[in-house]
Amino acid sequence: SMESWSNDLEVAQGFGTRRGMVSVIFNVVNKHGAPVAESSKYAKESEVIVPQDVTYRIKSTKKKVIDHIGEKVIRYEVDLIMV
C-alpha cells in the first residue's frame, strides 16, 4: 500500500485552507518517493507516491495562524526525519 504526498509546498498548503480547518504540513526528505505527476490526472499537484509504513521521527513543530481570504486558518508545520 502507498501514500500520496505533494512535493510542492504551495500545493500542499492549498489543501488546508478551508474554513474552520486545521492543517498539518509535513516537511520531510524521503528518498523512497516516486514522482507520478507525468501520469496523473492532476499533474499540477506534483504528486509523489511514497511507501506506507515508513517510520519518521519528529525533528520540530511550529504552529501558525494564517489569514486566508479573510479567514483565520491554523496550520502546524512538522519537520520529519526518516528513521
Side-chain angles (χ1 to χ4, degrees), residues 7-8 15 23-24 26 37 52 64 68 70 72 77 79 82:
N7 66 4
D8 184 319
F15 281 101
S23 66
V24 178
F26 294 106
Q52 197 174 29
K64 294 184 176 184
H68 179 75
K72 299 292 183 201
E77 294 184 6
D79 294 323
M82 289 179 66

Side-chain angles (χ1 to χ4, degrees), residues 12-52:
Q13 290 172 340
F15 281 101
T17 55
R18 294 192 195 113
R19 185 178 180 176
M21 178 178 270
V22 174
S23 66
V24 178
I25 301 291
F26 294 106
N27 300 309
V28 62
V29 175
N30 188 329
K31 297 177 183 177
H32 302 289
V36 295
E38 290 183 16
S39 59
S40 173
K41 181 178 176 181
Y42 306 102
K44 292 182 180 182
E45 292 182 359
S46 300
E47 186 176 14
V48 176
I49 301 297
V50 296
Q52 197 174 29

Side-chain angles (χ1 to χ4, degrees), residues 45-72:
E45 292 182 359
S46 300
E47 186 176 14
V48 176
I49 301 297
V50 296
Q52 197 174 29
D53 300 326
V54 175
T55 303
Y56 300 95
R57 183 178 43 166
I58 296 173
K59 180 179 177 183
S60 65
T61 61
K62 292 177 242 170
K63 179 181 178 181
K64 294 184 176 184
V65 179
I66 61 170
D67 182 68
H68 179 75
I69 313 173
E71 296 286 334
K72 299 292 183 201

